[in-house]
PDB file of all heavy atoms in Angstrom:
ATOM      1  N   VAL T 247       1.595 -11.875  -7.873  1.00  0.00           N
ATOM      2  CA  VAL T 247       0.173 -11.522  -7.560  1.00  0.00           C
ATOM      3  C   VAL T 247      -0.656 -12.852  -7.375  1.00  0.00           C
ATOM      4  O   VAL T 247      -1.484 -12.923  -6.586  1.00  0.00           O
ATOM      5  CB  VAL T 247      -0.530 -10.636  -8.630  1.00  0.00           C
ATOM      6  CG1 VAL T 247      -2.080 -10.552  -8.477  1.00  0.00           C
ATOM      7  CG2 VAL T 247       0.090  -9.219  -8.643  1.00  0.00           C
ATOM      8  N   LEU T 248      -0.402 -13.777  -8.318  1.00  0.00           N
ATOM      9  CA  LEU T 248      -0.924 -15.172  -8.290  1.00  0.00           C
ATOM     10  C   LEU T 248      -0.595 -15.786  -6.824  1.00  0.00           C
ATOM     11  O   LEU T 248      -1.446 -16.419  -6.288  1.00  0.00           O
ATOM     12  CB  LEU T 248      -0.483 -15.979  -9.263  1.00  0.00           C
ATOM     13  CG  LEU T 248      -1.231 -17.266  -9.627  1.00  0.00           C
ATOM     14  CD1 LEU T 248      -2.680 -17.148  -9.958  1.00  0.00           C
ATOM     15  CD2 LEU T 248      -0.438 -18.085 -10.650  1.00  0.00           C
ATOM     16  N   PHE T 249       0.669 -15.633  -6.505  1.00  0.00           N
ATOM     17  CA  PHE T 249       0.994 -16.190  -5.177  1.00  0.00           C
ATOM     18  C   PHE T 249       0.121 -15.502  -4.058  1.00  0.00           C
ATOM     19  O   PHE T 249      -0.179 -16.082  -3.046  1.00  0.00           O
ATOM     20  CB  PHE T 249       2.577 -15.984  -4.883  1.00  0.00           C
ATOM     21  CG  PHE T 249       3.029 -16.248  -3.567  1.00  0.00           C
ATOM     22  CD1 PHE T 249       3.152 -17.533  -3.104  1.00  0.00           C
ATOM     23  CD2 PHE T 249       3.418 -15.302  -2.664  1.00  0.00           C
ATOM     24  CE1 PHE T 249       3.553 -17.887  -1.795  1.00  0.00           C
ATOM     25  CE2 PHE T 249       3.894 -15.477  -1.407  1.00  0.00           C
ATOM     26  CZ  PHE T 249       3.916 -16.868  -0.942  1.00  0.00           C
ATOM     27  N   GLY T 250      -0.084 -14.106  -4.191  1.00  0.00           N
ATOM     28  CA  GLY T 250      -0.737 -13.409  -3.236  1.00  0.00           C
ATOM     29  C   GLY T 250      -2.194 -13.918  -3.207  1.00  0.00           C
ATOM     30  O   GLY T 250      -2.897 -14.029  -2.035  1.00  0.00           O
ATOM     31  N   VAL T 251      -2.827 -14.182  -4.383  1.00  0.00           N
ATOM     32  CA  VAL T 251      -4.202 -14.814  -4.410  1.00  0.00           C
ATOM     33  C   VAL T 251      -4.169 -16.089  -3.683  1.00  0.00           C
ATOM     34  O   VAL T 251      -5.161 -16.415  -2.972  1.00  0.00           O
ATOM     35  CB  VAL T 251      -4.602 -14.997  -5.774  1.00  0.00           C
ATOM     36  CG1 VAL T 251      -5.931 -15.829  -5.869  1.00  0.00           C
ATOM     37  CG2 VAL T 251      -4.766 -13.604  -6.644  1.00  0.00           C
ATOM     38  N   GLY T 252      -3.305 -16.993  -3.861  1.00  0.00           N
ATOM     39  CA  GLY T 252      -3.172 -18.229  -3.123  1.00  0.00           C
ATOM     40  C   GLY T 252      -3.044 -17.950  -1.623  1.00  0.00           C
ATOM     41  O   GLY T 252      -3.751 -18.581  -0.852  1.00  0.00           O
ATOM     42  N   MET T 253      -2.320 -16.973  -1.118  1.00  0.00           N
ATOM     43  CA  MET T 253      -2.143 -16.532   0.341  1.00  0.00           C
ATOM     44  C   MET T 253      -3.664 -16.213   0.827  1.00  0.00           C
ATOM     45  O   MET T 253      -4.000 -16.675   1.931  1.00  0.00           O
ATOM     46  CB  MET T 253      -1.216 -15.481   0.439  1.00  0.00           C
ATOM     47  CG  MET T 253       0.193 -15.823   0.228  1.00  0.00           C
ATOM     48  SD  MET T 253       1.316 -14.382   0.308  1.00  0.00           S
ATOM     49  CE  MET T 253       1.048 -13.826   1.878  1.00  0.00           C
ATOM     50  N   PHE T 254      -4.357 -15.410  -0.069  1.00  0.00           N
ATOM     51  CA  PHE T 254      -5.559 -14.972   0.427  1.00  0.00           C
ATOM     52  C   PHE T 254      -6.650 -16.117   0.520  1.00  0.00           C
ATOM     53  O   PHE T 254      -7.308 -16.261   1.574  1.00  0.00           O
ATOM     54  CB  PHE T 254      -6.251 -14.037  -0.748  1.00  0.00           C
ATOM     55  CG  PHE T 254      -7.645 -13.535  -0.446  1.00  0.00           C
ATOM     56  CD1 PHE T 254      -7.851 -12.524   0.581  1.00  0.00           C
ATOM     57  CD2 PHE T 254      -8.605 -14.045  -1.039  1.00  0.00           C
ATOM     58  CE1 PHE T 254      -9.108 -12.095   0.765  1.00  0.00           C
ATOM     59  CE2 PHE T 254      -9.964 -13.603  -0.700  1.00  0.00           C
ATOM     60  CZ  PHE T 254     -10.158 -12.637   0.143  1.00  0.00           C
ATOM     61  N   LEU T 255      -6.611 -17.113  -0.508  1.00  0.00           N
ATOM     62  CA  LEU T 255      -7.463 -18.178  -0.359  1.00  0.00           C
ATOM     63  C   LEU T 255      -7.069 -19.157   0.816  1.00  0.00           C
ATOM     64  O   LEU T 255      -7.878 -19.658   1.504  1.00  0.00           O
ATOM     65  CB  LEU T 255      -7.421 -18.958  -1.573  1.00  0.00           C
ATOM     66  CG  LEU T 255      -8.004 -18.282  -2.832  1.00  0.00           C
ATOM     67  CD1 LEU T 255      -7.817 -19.200  -4.120  1.00  0.00           C
ATOM     68  CD2 LEU T 255      -9.517 -17.890  -2.780  1.00  0.00           C
ATOM     69  N   GLY T 256      -5.788 -19.335   0.984  1.00  0.00           N
ATOM     70  CA  GLY T 256      -5.258 -20.202   2.082  1.00  0.00           C
ATOM     71  C   GLY T 256      -5.722 -19.627   3.472  1.00  0.00           C
ATOM     72  O   GLY T 256      -6.006 -20.377   4.354  1.00  0.00           O
ATOM     73  N   ASN T 257      -5.586 -18.247   3.599  1.00  0.00           N
ATOM     74  CA  ASN T 257      -5.935 -17.595   4.854  1.00  0.00           C
ATOM     75  C   ASN T 257      -7.473 -17.820   5.286  1.00  0.00           C
ATOM     76  O   ASN T 257      -7.773 -18.211   6.396  1.00  0.00           O
ATOM     77  CB  ASN T 257      -5.661 -16.018   4.653  1.00  0.00           C
ATOM     78  CG  ASN T 257      -5.844 -15.410   6.017  1.00  0.00           C
ATOM     79  OD1 ASN T 257      -5.313 -15.739   7.014  1.00  0.00           O
ATOM     80  ND2 ASN T 257      -6.849 -14.417   5.952  1.00  0.00           N
ATOM     81  N   LEU T 258      -8.307 -17.834   4.080  1.00  0.00           N
ATOM     82  CA  LEU T 258      -9.697 -18.216   4.442  1.00  0.00           C
ATOM     83  C   LEU T 258      -9.766 -19.557   4.763  1.00  0.00           C
ATOM     84  O   LEU T 258     -10.671 -19.993   5.675  1.00  0.00           O
ATOM     85  CB  LEU T 258     -10.478 -17.752   3.069  1.00  0.00           C
ATOM     86  CG  LEU T 258     -10.515 -16.259   2.781  1.00  0.00           C
ATOM     87  CD1 LEU T 258     -11.367 -16.176   1.417  1.00  0.00           C
ATOM     88  CD2 LEU T 258     -11.120 -15.410   3.852  1.00  0.00           C
ATOM     89  N   LEU T 259      -9.249 -20.418   4.127  1.00  0.00           N
ATOM     90  CA  LEU T 259      -9.395 -21.942   4.456  1.00  0.00           C
ATOM     91  C   LEU T 259      -8.805 -22.010   5.866  1.00  0.00           C
ATOM     92  O   LEU T 259      -9.543 -22.801   6.604  1.00  0.00           O
ATOM     93  CB  LEU T 259      -8.518 -22.721   3.501  1.00  0.00           C
ATOM     94  CG  LEU T 259      -8.323 -24.170   3.792  1.00  0.00           C
ATOM     95  CD1 LEU T 259      -9.716 -24.863   3.382  1.00  0.00           C
ATOM     96  CD2 LEU T 259      -7.231 -24.734   2.935  1.00  0.00           C
TER      97      LEU T 259
END
Side-chain angles (χ1 to χ4, degrees):
V247 171
L248 190 62
F249 174 69
V251 171
M253 292 171 64
F254 177 79
L255 296 174
N257 184 57
L258 293 180
L259 174 71

